[in-house]
Amino acid sequence: MGALIHRLWAGQVPLEIAFWRYAVVYGLLVNLVTSALFYALLLDETSPLVIAVAFALPLPYNLLATVGVWRSAQAFEGPRKWADWAQIVTVLWMLLLSLT
């Protein structure tokens, strides 16, 4: 698992896998689960500190996925427009997921 995280962080994962698997699919799953936890804690009137921690839980993953896609896009040997779009969409996607 550590080697996979390192490869993603270093941009050594093919762009299409970094983007579709790690940013889109896993990013959506991580953020859906942590959002559900956040809202459940909010409705349960849990302490603000616990709520803040729950809200921040997906941020490390979002950062990992965004950096992984960004660096994989820099190493992408296909048409530059696909790498550029992957970078732009991933940043916007992770910001949207992180703020909801």
Side-chain angles (χ1 to χ4, degrees):
M1 183 59 121
L4 177 61
I5 291 171
H6 180 272
R7 287 184 63 237
L8 180 60
W9 181 261
Q12 297 170 349
V13 174
L15 178 59
E16 61 274 6
I17 294 172
F19 178 76
W20 287 109
R21 185 180 300 168
Y22 294 104
V24 176
V25 175
Y26 295 164
L28 182 61
L29 290 173
V30 165
N31 285 278
L32 281 175
V33 168
T34 55
S35 290
L37 172 65
F38 169 74
Y39 288 120
L41 292 172
L42 196 59
L43 290 173
D44 195 38
E45 297 180 14
T46 305
S47 79
L49 178 61
V50 173
I51 291 172
V53 169
F55 183 78
L57 278 175
L59 296 178
Y61 181 81
N62 292 349
L63 178 64
L64 171 67
T66 302
V67 169
V69 169
W70 196 272
R71 291 179 176 169
S72 292
Q74 291 175 333
F76 184 63
E77 294 181 0
R80 187 73 230 154
K81 69 178 181 178
W82 296 119
D84 293 343
W85 275 109
Q87 289 174 318
I88 292 166
V89 169
T90 300
V91 169
L92 294 175
W93 177 247
M94 289 304 171
L95 283 173
L96 176 70
L97 289 176
S98 295
L99 298 175
T100 56

